[in-house]
Amino acid sequence: MPKELTWRKAIEKVLKDTGGAMHYKDIADEIVSRGLRTNVGATPPATVSANLTSSISKDGENSPFQKVGRGEFMLREKDGSSDKPVPVKGQFDDENGSESQYDIISSFGMYWRRDYVDWGARPRILGMQQIGAEAVNFCDQVGIYLLYDGREIIYVGRSTDRPLGKRLYEHTADRLSTRWDRFSWFGLLPVSDKGDLCGLPDSYVAKKIVPAMEAVLIEALEPRQNRKRGDDLSAVEYLQKEDPEIDRKRKKALLESALSKV
């Protein structure tokens, strides 16, 4: 079995094979889909971005990578040149010299299925950033959530004093219990590369709440008159992963059913 490539070598291979500039999220997708790494953690795009920006910041012109646009990178030519001009410092970066990964809303999930969760006082609300990434438990996430009956939004709530998992669990037993089958959520807590929820960043300020809320409503409600995605939603979408306990219970029920017919 060939030795697994380091993140840096995997990134170099993808960019070399492409022969041009790529967004760090697309680089991460290629690494995962091509199996260049099997251990990709919970946030592959963030890991790729961190490797690229760290290399450029530490090695400067000796780095094999060059940033050519917002979130876009390419291999630097051996003579230090590239097909695109070197960006002016600050042109694509934030005040810290790297693209901001998190704003107010750091992650979200759209139209997740109620029956994919094994409900309890602390349910596992599992999601993955992309196929092949490690699952993240969003039970303790805080932010905004929406309940759907089919595709119709029937309730909008917030999870602050009580986290997302607790609030959704309450709705499995209250007046809304029979009225929803899917849910969406927009969370404030960022996710570490190990799949843990982190605390709110120090830069969290009230003046960003209104535009962020506007972006959330645009993304969730998809009103026909809005021609573009919410500008202030600099977030990463996660795909829901079914709790393995659901499949175990399903198989157990099928086995018990088969035995009862014997």
Side-chain angles (χ1 to χ4, degrees), residues 122-123 125 137-142 163-166 189 197:
R122 284 190 56 79
I125 313 297
N137 183 4
F138 291 99
C139 178
D140 293 328
Q141 183 62 279
V142 298
L164 178 65
K166 178 67 174 178
L189 304 183
L197 297 181

Side-chain angles (χ1 to χ4, degrees), residues 146-157:
L146 304 94
L147 303 182
Y148 301 84
D149 180 7
R151 288 187 63 88
E152 178 189 359
I153 297 174
I154 64 166
Y155 183 82
V156 177

Side-chain angles (χ1 to χ4, degrees), residues 25-40:
K25 293 180 180 178
D26 296 326
I27 298 174
D29 287 341
E30 282 293 305
I31 291 174
V32 174
S33 65
R34 291 166 58 177
L36 300 181
R37 283 189 59 85
T38 55
N39 181 18
V40 297

